[in-house]
């Protein structure tokens, strides 16, 4: 009974202070105390209380103090959860359980080639190391020669001579690096395209090759500049202070290379900020996240995305626009979910675990890209390792050489488009250019959202954020997934035999 | 070209200030100016820039500064819009256009009885006025007698005598008011239940009757206390200041009653806060909202809710629990949407328009109930007119008479449950008690969310808000709609003939 009274008392306190009823009802507990007092009762006129004693506006009327809408955020979360649970029930009633561990058909050959590539690809990094060893040797002897001739003045002739020499040896080094790095990418791509049928294994191999390719390039470029700084100390800006503990050519050693090989970055530095010790508990939690999220993504794609893609084929083949839009809309939620899980698993969980093991200090693998109001900022925040590489080794040098910044940016997107196409088109054995086109399509989009952001202030920001989400997660991704799945089916699937006469397929095969 | 450079320059500024690359890239525009300067080029080492110069945590790691998640809110809005657009496409492909102006079958009799009730119900308010006229006359003569006997002392005997007299005359007045108000409710309910088949017309009539019933009660109670205050000035607390301009019995006049008749409140006051003039533009905008939202709700229920309810019947009849859950989940979104539109149309648009026309100053028809973390606060904020009535004429007087507050609350919910059942069960001709049970079920829910709110701080608040949304909008409403629809179909629909042998129906009809 005491709890009954207690909770009831809280009614009075829960009434907003602006409500005059609060002061009136503040006396509601008194009668409990003076229950027998008859005079109290007689003098209280409860029925005449002035409920309406002042002018007040409705909350939602324009001009009133805007109330908080945090409850509607909670409601949105709930509706999303409930409506997707409902779709899961519908899916289950329609298809039953589609998840199956033993149904995955990858060939024996795929695994063998995959393992081979896993072992072979890093070799190119070691070849780059050997090239750099030679270059360092050459630089040391050049430095010794210069010191010997140190008494001579720095005439313009000797300076020009030194530059010529340096440029010549750089060209030789660059040639070897270029051959090495290109072979890495060409061999891997060829093996994945012709010998690895399974798109999952193929993607992993291609991703590995691209990562090592980017690392080799960064290793070569960075050491070129370090060498130049060593040979021409007067012409150079001071190097970053953090490098002082390991000056060139001392950084060209096997241990330093191995650290770069495993460090969660694509940008070579002789020295990185390091943490003091490894927190193994942190590593374990991050790895658990990776495993858990991978299972979730696998279930989502096997149980939900796969049948959806399968029964999208008919609409796509008969070129029924409304049906295609409806399928893309349905696909968008599941692809968005997989994307968010995959992003978290890779950029938060996996890279943080790897960084912890490597005692790598700079964990800024991504920014808060979900808030971006401009597509441009999205591309510079969602994937910091690649952004850092592109900015340091492509964008800045091009601008330094006199390219207009906009052109340098287009160059970056061009390279990025090629890499995306390699990553998606090659493992699915359909280099149809959709991934590349998607990247190039970002350039006009950037101009659009840049303008929007400037024009309208806060509304422009929300609009920019919406455009980003629509183009990227709700249209771009599911549409691309559908097209590559369609291409795959047209090449290997049963659908191609079934619908040989479809106009869309004819159009597609004629290309 | 200048815009190209311009937008590209903004890249550098758009990089967060904490990123050291910002200072580095801040020089990117210089080469555009000094494009021919060779020495500049030589001294810039872009490839050695220290991208990783300090220890940083990932945004989403526990312990890092939590970033804003406003982008995800935008994403949620988008996903909700897109997934419901998709369901609309699906609905359209399945059913075509179901909206039909000429298909509504209401009988001629329904309209006649509806109009009759519309004219007859307010008459009871005028009868209440006549009763009050008599009571005021009686009070005036009693006051004159008391003044005549004014020389005599206020002995306890005369006081007791006065109280006895007052109580006797109040009992007479109360009897007449009771008969009048009860006849209003009984006649209306009888006509709606037996003579008006169409549930829409029936609901409007029943709602009208209940509103007038509540107004009559408030009129009687308030004037009773005003009369008492006039006759026993020494025993009473001072009346609210706002009433001073129209003291009893001057407020018992026809104009005053007519104002109360149309004022958007259920609580009688001799005087209300008033605005100075009518803004007709405001009225027009609000009425446009009412019309627009009514059309939206009509389309939503005809095109989406109706087929959903129809094809829920099979699952309900065969008592397939998973199917019932799935249907309730699907129904929840549409019923929630209709509920929110209806709430806005009635409480914001209609009542504000009416208040503007009546120059009624206190527009607090609702609080920010969407944010509530306790079911209790929901019930005191979503419908302020009824809350004000219940608090002033039921809860406070009961507590004043010595009832424990919790018991007084239960009494309020009991009355509210009866009114809800009248409002839903009578027009659908199925007084099955679901609406009443739903109201009574709020009492344990209030205790639960009260406890939750106290236990856990901010998380408890979110949990309380979620429980509110789940019970009320996602489970309570659609389930109740389904049950009343089922009851309707069992009584009138074709379904009852089709599934005569269904176990659920047998169970239902046996009751």
């Amino acid at each position: 009974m005491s709890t009954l009274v207690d909770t009831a008392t809280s009614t009075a306190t829960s009434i907003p202070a602006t409500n005059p009823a609060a002061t009136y009802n503040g006396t509601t507990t008194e009668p409990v105390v003076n229950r027998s007092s008859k005079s109290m009762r007689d003098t209280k006129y409860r029925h005449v209380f002035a409920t309406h004693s002042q002018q007040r506006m409705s909350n939602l009327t324009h001009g009133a103090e805007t109330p908080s809408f945090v409850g509607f955020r909670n409601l949105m979360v709930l509706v999303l959860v409930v409506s997707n649970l409902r779709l899961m029930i519908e899916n289950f009633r329609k298809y039953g359980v589609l998840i199956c561990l033993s149904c995955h058909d990858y060939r024996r050959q795929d695994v063998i080639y995959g393992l081979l590539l896993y072992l072979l690809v890093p070799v190119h990094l070691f070849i780059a190391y050997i090239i750099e060893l030679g270059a360092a040797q050459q630089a040391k002897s050049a430095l010794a020669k210069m010191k010997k001739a140190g008494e001579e003045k720095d005439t313009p002739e000797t300076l020009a001579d030194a530059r010529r020499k340096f440029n010549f040896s750089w060209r030789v080094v660059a040639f070897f690096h270029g051959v090495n790095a290109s072979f890495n990418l060409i061999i891997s791509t060829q093996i994945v395209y012709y010998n690895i049928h399974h798109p999952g294994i193929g993607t992993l191999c291609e991703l590995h090759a691209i990562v090592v390719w980017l690392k080799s390039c960064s290793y070569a470029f960075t050491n070129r500049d370090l060498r130049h700084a060593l040979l021409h100390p007067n012409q150079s800006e001071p190097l970053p202070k953090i490098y002082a503990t390991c000056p060139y050519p001392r950084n060209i050693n096997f241990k330093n290379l191995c650290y770069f090989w495993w460090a969660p970055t694509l940008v070579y530095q002789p020295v990185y900020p390091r943490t003091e010790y490894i927190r193994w508990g942190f590593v374990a939690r991050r790895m658990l996240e990776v495993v858990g999220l991978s299972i979730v993504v696998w279930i989502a794609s096997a149980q939900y995305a796969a049948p959806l893609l399968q029964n999208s084929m008919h609409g796509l083949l008969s070129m029924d626009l409304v049906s295609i839009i409806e399928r893309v809309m349905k696909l968008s939620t599941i692809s968005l979910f997989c994307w968010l899980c995959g992003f978290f698993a890779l950029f938060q969980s996996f890279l943080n675990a790897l960084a912890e093991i490597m005692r790598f200090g700079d964990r800024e693998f991504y920014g808060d890209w979900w808030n971006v109001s401009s597509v441009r900022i999205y591309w510079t925040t969602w994937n910091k390792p690649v952004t850092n590489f592109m900015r340091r080794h492509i964008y800045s040098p091009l601008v330094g050489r006199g390219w207009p910044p906009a052109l340098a940016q287009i160059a970056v997107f061009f390279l990025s488009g090629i890499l995306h196409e390699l990553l998606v088109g090659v493992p699915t054995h359909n280099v149809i250019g959709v991934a590349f086109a998607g990247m190039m399509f970002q350039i006009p989009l950037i101009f659009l959202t840049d303008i929007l952001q400037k024009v309208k202030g806060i509304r422009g920001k929300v609009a920019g954020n919406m455009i980003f989400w629509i183009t990227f997660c709700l249209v771009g991704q599911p549409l691309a997934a559908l097209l590559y799945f369609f291409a795959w089916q047209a090449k290997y699937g049963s659908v191609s035999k079934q619908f040989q006469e479809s106009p869309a397929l004819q159009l597609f095969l004629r290309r």
Side-chain angles (χ1 to χ4, degrees), chain A:
Chain A
M1 191 63 211
S2 72
T3 53
L4 280 174
V5 175
D6 186 40
T7 43
T9 313
S10 72
T11 331
T13 55
S14 64
I15 296 163
T18 54
N19 190 339
T23 52
Y24 183 68
N25 277 337
T27 62
T28 48
T29 48
E30 279 178 36
V32 182
V33 184
N34 309 324
R35 204 172 289 181
S36 59
S37 152
K38 273 200 172 189
S39 68
M40 279 290 286
R41 255 189 269 163
D42 283 348
T43 55
K44 299 246 169 190
Y45 293 131
R46 291 163 201 288
H47 295 296
V48 295
F49 169 66
T51 303
H52 306 289
S53 61
Q54 64 190 72
Q55 290 197 15
R56 283 181 293 201
M57 276 171 100
S58 297
N59 261 343
L60 298 173
T61 301
H62 188 77
E65 213 180 310
T66 316
S68 158
F69 290 112
V70 72
F72 284 120
R73 188 205 57 192
N74 296 341
L75 177 64
M76 282 202 294
V77 173
L78 258 180
V79 171
L80 275 179
V81 169
V82 166
S83 52
N84 284 296
L85 272 179
R86 189 189 74 77
L87 288 176
M88 280 161 80
I89 293 177
E90 211 178 68
N91 169 288
F92 178 77
R93 287 170 82 91
K94 214 165 166 186
Y95 302 112
V97 177
L98 294 176
I99 300 151
C100 165
L101 269 175
S102 54
C103 310
H104 278 261
D105 59 332
Y106 44 84
R107 302 182 199 157
R108 198 181 149 81
Q109 183 192 339
D110 291 359
V111 180
I112 293 169
Y113 273 105
L115 282 175
L116 202 72
L117 276 183
Y118 182 70
L119 296 172
L120 267 178
V121 163
V123 169
H124 292 276
L125 207 55
F126 291 97
I127 298 173
Y129 166 60
I130 290 162
I131 297 169
E132 278 304 320
L133 266 185
Q137 207 56 45
Q138 206 268 340
K140 270 185 228 163
S141 67
L143 193 68
K145 260 186 225 162
M146 277 164 73
K147 268 192 185 152
K148 220 158 117 189
E151 291 82 43
E152 294 169 35
K153 272 177 199 160
D154 267 3
T155 60
E157 286 80 36
T158 55
L159 270 176
D161 190 47
R163 187 181 300 132
R164 214 178 315 118
K165 271 184 192 160
F166 178 83
N167 281 346
F168 173 74
S169 60
W170 163 239
R171 257 177 229 125
V172 175
V173 171
F175 172 77
F176 283 116
H177 274 306
V179 169
N180 174 44
S182 304
F183 262 99
N184 169 22
L185 216 51
I186 291 168
I187 294 170
S188 303
T189 301
Q190 197 136 9
I191 290 181
V192 169
Y193 192 82
Y194 289 109
N195 302 92
I196 299 180
H197 181 73
H198 194 276
I201 298 172
T203 305
L204 283 179
C205 290
E206 195 67 24
L207 180 65
H208 185 206
I210 288 174
V211 165
V212 169
W213 184 73
L214 291 171
K215 287 203 184 210
S216 313
C217 292
S218 182
Y219 193 66
F221 283 133
T222 309
N223 281 317
R224 182 245 178 233
D225 270 11
L226 288 173
R227 199 156 52 241
H228 193 277
L230 175 78
L231 295 175
H232 311 284
N234 302 333
Q235 292 175 30
S236 54
E237 290 173 331
L239 288 175
K241 275 182 197 153
I242 192 174
Y243 300 172
T245 54
C246 184
Y248 189 85
R250 248 173 54 203
N251 66 313
I252 307 296
N253 67 65
F254 191 70
K255 204 183 147 201
N256 187 289
L257 178 88
C258 284
Y259 186 81
F260 177 53
W261 176 22
W262 283 99
T265 178
L266 299 172
V267 158
Y268 176 68
Q269 288 181 197
V271 184
Y272 293 101
R274 302 285 291 271
T275 58
E276 279 178 30
Y277 51 87
I278 303 172
R279 295 168 295 171
W280 287 106
F282 181 89
V283 175
R285 282 196 298 278
R286 295 296 86 76
M287 289 317 293
L288 264 179
E289 284 170 8
V290 172
V291 172
L293 285 169
S294 302
I295 292 173
V296 166
V297 168
W298 173 58
I299 291 176
S301 44
Q303 181 74 37
Y304 303 101
L308 203 58
L309 283 167
Q310 285 287 357
N311 60 32
S312 302
M313 293 307 293
H314 195 89
L316 210 57
L317 284 168
S318 56
M319 287 176 120
D320 175 356
L321 191 68
V322 178
S323 162
I324 293 172
I325 290 174
E326 192 266 344
R327 290 288 94 181
V328 165
M329 278 171 147
K330 186 154 190 183
L331 203 53
S332 70
T333 312
I334 188 73
S335 80
L336 178 64
F337 175 78
C338 290
W339 157 256
L340 290 177
C341 287
F343 169 83
F344 195 91
L346 182 57
F347 284 85
Q348 169 66 10
S349 306
F350 177 71
L351 288 186
N352 261 295
L354 186 58
E356 189 69 28
I357 292 170
M358 300 301 289
R359 300 200 291 105
F360 188 83
D362 187 359
R363 311 280 171 92
E364 209 193 47
F365 304 120
Y366 55 87
D368 58 338
W369 55 265
W370 45 88
N371 297 327
V372 298
S373 52
S374 145
V375 174
R376 172 201 305 287
I377 305 175
Y378 168 72
W379 286 109
T380 57
T381 47
W382 87 273
N383 183 341
K384 287 266 184 184
V386 168
T387 302
N388 289 336
F389 179 91
M390 293 292 184
R391 182 175 282 154
R392 196 202 208 202
H393 298 302
I394 313 284
Y395 179 80
S396 287
L398 285 181
V399 170
R401 274 164 181 265
W403 284 42
L407 209 61
Q409 250 177 34
I410 291 171
V412 166
F413 274 96
F414 186 80
L415 175 61
S416 180
I418 291 174
L419 295 182
H420 273 86
E421 187 65 41
L422 281 180
L423 209 50
V424 182
V426 171
T428 55
H429 314 286
N430 276 293
V431 188
I432 55 177
V434 169
F436 177 76
M439 281 307 291
M440 297 317 282
F441 178 65
Q442 299 306 311
I443 295 163
L445 219 58
I446 284 177
F447 285 106
L448 179 68
T449 50
D450 271 345
I451 290 164
L452 253 176
Q453 201 181 11
K454 277 179 197 164
V455 170
K456 289 206 227 157
I458 183 74
R459 282 300 167 91
K461 280 203 172 175
V462 172
N465 190 242
M466 289 284 191
I467 289 178
F468 151 66
W469 282 117
I470 291 172
T471 52
F472 183 66
C473 288
L474 292 179
V475 177
Q477 287 211 338
L479 201 61
L482 209 55
L483 286 171
Y484 278 99
F485 180 80
F486 182 66
W488 174 278
Q489 288 286 11
K491 202 165 173 178
Y492 304 105
S494 53
V495 181
S496 59
K497 281 143 212 159
Q498 207 177 330
F499 294 97
Q500 281 298 5
E501 277 81 49
S502 129
L505 195 70
Q506 293 302 324
L507 208 78
F508 191 79
L509 293 174
R510 214 178 295 141
R511 123 197 105 90

